[in-house]
Amino acid sequence: MADHAGGNFDSAEVLYEGGSLGDAPVKQLPSGLSLATLSFQDGSSNLNLRWSGVQGTRFYGAVLHNGHKGLLYHTVGVNGATFSNYNNMDLSLQVQARWLHPDLVILSLGTNEAFGYISAAQFRAEIDNAVTTLRNSCPEGTVFLLTTPPSGMGKAVRTPYRKK
């Protein structure tokens, strides 16, 4: 379920893979994903989606439209994810960026790498891969990167265990 903070919306575009959303008009994208368009005659303030037909349907996001101008804001978050997770997600980063045509992308990642076992060179390579992917997928957009500084990486604090 998704709630739209500004009130009602009259349509939604849903990006997914596998299954079907009833009789909603669906456009098959070159990436193999499906883009369904849902319309709400009297408007709606929430969106409940249920897929049928295929187990393992992947939901990539929804855009809710209300006909008004303003900021369109999207967020993606996976607890514990790293740059490499997003770089290896079956092209979903590219597909979503092409679909959304963002003017600005803010990447804020790197904290999980700071406490993992990744070399500085591999970390830079993963960042370069993600930024290059986004720049190629939405060349008109600006990519703004926030990440943990190298001085904060690889400093594990060990707490000794004492039996009571």
Side-chain angles (χ1 to χ4, degrees):
M1 181 167 85
D3 289 324
H4 179 62
N8 287 347
F9 53 93
D10 52 25
S11 67
E13 292 178 302
V14 179
L15 186 65
Y16 67 98
E17 179 179 26
S20 69
L21 283 171
D23 59 356
V26 175
K27 177 180 176 184
Q28 295 300 315
L29 302 180
S31 62
L33 300 182
S34 301
L35 181 63
T37 303
L38 309 171
S39 297
F40 307 96
Q41 254 183 339
D42 298 324
S44 183
S45 61
N46 62 50
L47 179 63
N48 293 308
L49 301 171
R50 287 182 180 77
W51 281 270
S52 61
V54 176
Q55 198 171 26
T57 299
R58 292 177 114 184
F59 173 65
Y60 289 96
V63 177
L64 310 177
H65 298 279
N66 64 7
H68 301 291
K69 292 182 180 183
L71 177 69
L72 187 58
Y73 173 81
H74 292 271
T75 183
V76 175
V78 178
N79 196 18
T82 62
F83 278 98
S84 66
N85 294 126
Y86 288 102
N87 289 335
N88 297 323
M89 287 179 55
D90 300 328
L91 305 177
S92 66
L93 190 61
Q94 297 132 320
V95 170
Q96 290 180 48
R98 287 186 185 126
W99 172 49
L100 295 170
H101 306 288
D103 295 319
L104 175 65
V105 175
I106 301 172
L107 280 178
S108 181
L109 291 166
T111 302
N112 293 319
E113 284 94 344
F115 297 102
Y117 298 98
I118 183 172
S119 70
Q122 182 62 34
F123 184 47
R124 281 191 293 276
E126 293 291 351
I127 291 172
D128 287 344
N129 187 2
V131 171
T132 299
T133 295
L134 288 166
R135 284 185 175 156
N136 290 338
S137 300
C138 51
E140 297 84 25
T142 298
V143 178
F144 189 76
L145 177 65
L146 303 171
T147 191
T148 303
S151 62
M153 295 186 68
K155 295 186 179 186
V157 176
R158 295 186 187 259
T159 305
Y161 174 75
R162 289 187 293 174
K163 287 186 175 182
K164 292 185 180 184

